[in-house]
Amino acid sequence: MTQKNEKKVGILLERSTRITKLTFIKAFKKIDADITPEQWVILDSLYKENGQTQTDLCQKAYKNKPTISRIIDITCEKKYTKRKNFDGDRRKLKIFLTAKGTKLVEKCAPEIEALRDLSWKGLSNQDYNTFCKVTDQLFKNFSSYE
Amino acid sequence: MTQKNEKKVGILLERSTRITKLTFIKAFKKIDADITPEQWVILDSLYKENGQTQTDLCQKAYKNKPTISRIIDITCEKKYTKRKNFDGDRRKLKIFLTAKGTKLVEKCAPEIEALRDLSWKGLSNQDYNTFCKVTDQLFKNFSSYE
DNA sequence: AAGGAATAGTTGTCATGACAACTAATTTAC
DNA sequence: GTAAATTAGTTGTCATGACAACTATTCCTT
């Protein structure tokens, strides 16, 4: 394991995550979409399944509740989403994409698709599968830390 | 490529990055070290090579200049680092670890080492190599976007 | 030598992410 | 039925990260 100890998982992940996010930022700017990568994650999730609770969104996006709440504040302000009461449980809210939000998602989808294609260029299905395996295992390994 | 398009690189990276960072936060708390993961990256870099410029640190950490400047503001306030003038170029500063900073790095090192070991548990050298290859390729792929 | 371009670092602003704490509502245990 | 525990979402605070803009300094071009 000595060879691996020369490489830090953190820096590899940070680097990749950062440039991925930066590239998404550029893409949105390129198509003149007023949205951040993080907001996109939420809107895209709602596009697939509209009317989710904030807790649903948290879990899907691996984000914490305060962060989700704040992102939704902003997407509501931009009129991309709307908060509605959840029938049967007064604590919960349902979050809906607006027509404006739906339009935006559809506008962005081709460019994001292109980004996805770009990201895996020069890599095989096997590479992808190993990447998934590694990220899953990292998640498991760190989930057990204390 | 249709299979891969079901999976988004962003979310995989985000998830892994987040839990990695969270685990580092827990580790520092566990050993009662007053430091964040991001600050650690800077201190560790200085431990290896003391007296670097901020730009050096930026490049090594894949962070932008304002962020580095702010992190160093805080590490200076905590007395872990000190800014000094760079002989021969009045624009530049050299950043040094203090004795307190050095002590902190040495205090943290075993736990961070243990985290490193934990992170790769259940994964092979081959997995690691593929992970590196994938993250490098992602970096390259996105660096070419526009 | 002079002026333009590039560089090092800083400041402002906004967004996101972590933790802690809180309120209100629901669920669980007795 | 009641009280304790848990849950959904919000607010506060601090740290980080992005972009834009800025000042001072150095480098490059003419």
Side-chain angles (χ1 to χ4, degrees):
Chain A
M1 293 299 178
T2 54
Q3 185 188 15
K4 271 191 283 191
N5 285 339
E6 297 303 310
K7 278 284 183 186
K8 310 175 204 169
V9 57
I11 206 85
L12 289 175
L13 286 171
E14 286 280 328
R15 189 175 76 153
S16 308
T17 301
R18 201 157 288 145
I19 198 155
T20 301
K21 196 173 294 185
L22 262 186
T23 307
F24 272 72
I25 290 171
K26 283 188 198 163
F28 291 131
K29 188 168 181 180
K30 179 176 163 187
I31 59 175
D32 207 33
D34 174 24
I35 187 168
T36 63
E38 292 85 12
Q39 291 162 21
W40 166 258
V41 169
I42 301 304
L43 294 193
D44 190 42
S45 190
L46 290 170
Y47 189 75
K48 295 203 175 72
E49 191 189 335
N50 214 6
Q52 291 182 63
T53 63
Q54 286 178 203
T55 303
D56 291 334
L57 293 169
C58 284
Q59 284 166 0
K60 295 227 176 85
Y62 301 99
K63 290 178 191 290
N64 72 22
K65 288 181 178 175
T67 302
I68 290 287
S69 191
R70 290 187 171 117
I71 292 174
I72 292 168
D73 286 345
I74 296 171
T75 60
C76 283
E77 224 180 277
K78 289 180 178 178
K79 310 272 192 250
Y80 297 150
T81 60
K82 201 180 246 324
R83 281 182 171 110
K84 289 187 179 172
N85 295 322
F86 190 102
D87 294 330
D89 189 337
R90 304 221 0 235
R91 298 172 301 180
K92 294 186 180 182
L93 297 167
K94 278 183 175 180
I95 315 298
F96 289 94
L97 265 193
T98 61
K100 187 181 179 188
T102 300
K103 251 220 216 114
L104 183 83
V105 172
E106 287 166 356
K107 176 184 173 178
C108 296
E111 195 64 37
I112 301 305
E113 185 77 17
L115 272 203
R116 217 169 268 151
D117 288 343
L118 175 63
S119 64
W120 297 111
K121 212 155 132 209
L123 295 165
S124 66
N125 276 343
Q126 186 59 41
D127 291 328
Y128 173 72
N129 290 334
T130 303
F131 184 74
C132 287
K133 174 185 165 189
V134 172
T135 54
D136 279 348
Q137 191 65 35
L138 283 178
F139 194 74
K140 277 194 201 112
N141 291 343
F142 283 140
S143 296
S144 71
Y145 178 78
E146 65 146 300
Chain B
M1 293 298 178
T2 56
Q3 185 188 16
K4 271 192 284 194
N5 285 339
E6 297 303 312
K7 280 282 183 187
K8 309 174 202 168
V9 56
I11 206 86
L12 288 174
L13 285 171
E14 284 279 336
R15 189 176 76 152
S16 307
T17 301
R18 200 157 290 144
I19 197 156
T20 301
K21 196 173 295 186
L22 261 188
T23 308
F24 272 72
I25 291 171
K26 281 188 199 164
F28 291 130
K29 190 169 179 178
K30 179 176 163 186
I31 61 176
D32 207 33
D34 173 24
I35 188 168
T36 65
E38 292 83 11
Q39 291 162 21
W40 164 259
V41 169
I42 301 304
L43 294 193
D44 190 43
S45 190
L46 290 171
Y47 189 74
K48 294 201 175 75
E49 191 189 334
N50 215 7
Q52 291 181 64
T53 63
Q54 286 179 203
T55 303
D56 291 334
L57 294 168
C58 284
Q59 283 165 0
K60 293 224 175 83
Y62 301 100
K63 292 176 189 291
N64 71 23
K65 287 180 179 177
T67 304
I68 289 287
S69 190
R70 290 189 171 116
I71 292 174
I72 292 166
D73 284 347
I74 297 170
T75 60
C76 283
E77 222 179 278
K78 288 178 177 180
K79 310 277 195 241
Y80 297 150
T81 60
K82 202 181 247 318
R83 280 181 171 110
K84 291 188 179 173
N85 294 324
F86 189 101
D87 294 329
D89 188 336
R90 304 220 3 230
R91 297 172 305 182
K92 294 187 182 182
L93 297 168
K94 277 184 175 181
I95 314 299
F96 288 93
L97 263 193
T98 61
K100 187 181 178 187
T102 301
K103 249 218 218 118
L104 183 83
V105 172
E106 287 167 357
K107 175 182 173 178
C108 296
E111 196 65 35
I112 301 304
E113 185 75 20
L115 271 204
R116 220 169 266 149
D117 289 342
L118 176 64
S119 63
W120 296 111
K121 213 159 132 203
L123 295 166
S124 65
N125 276 344
Q126 186 58 39
D127 291 328
Y128 173 71
N129 290 335
T130 304
F131 185 74
C132 288
K133 172 184 164 187
V134 171
T135 55
D136 280 347
Q137 191 65 32
L138 284 177
F139 195 76
K140 279 193 202 109
N141 291 344
F142 283 140
S143 296
S144 70
Y145 177 77
E146 66 144 300

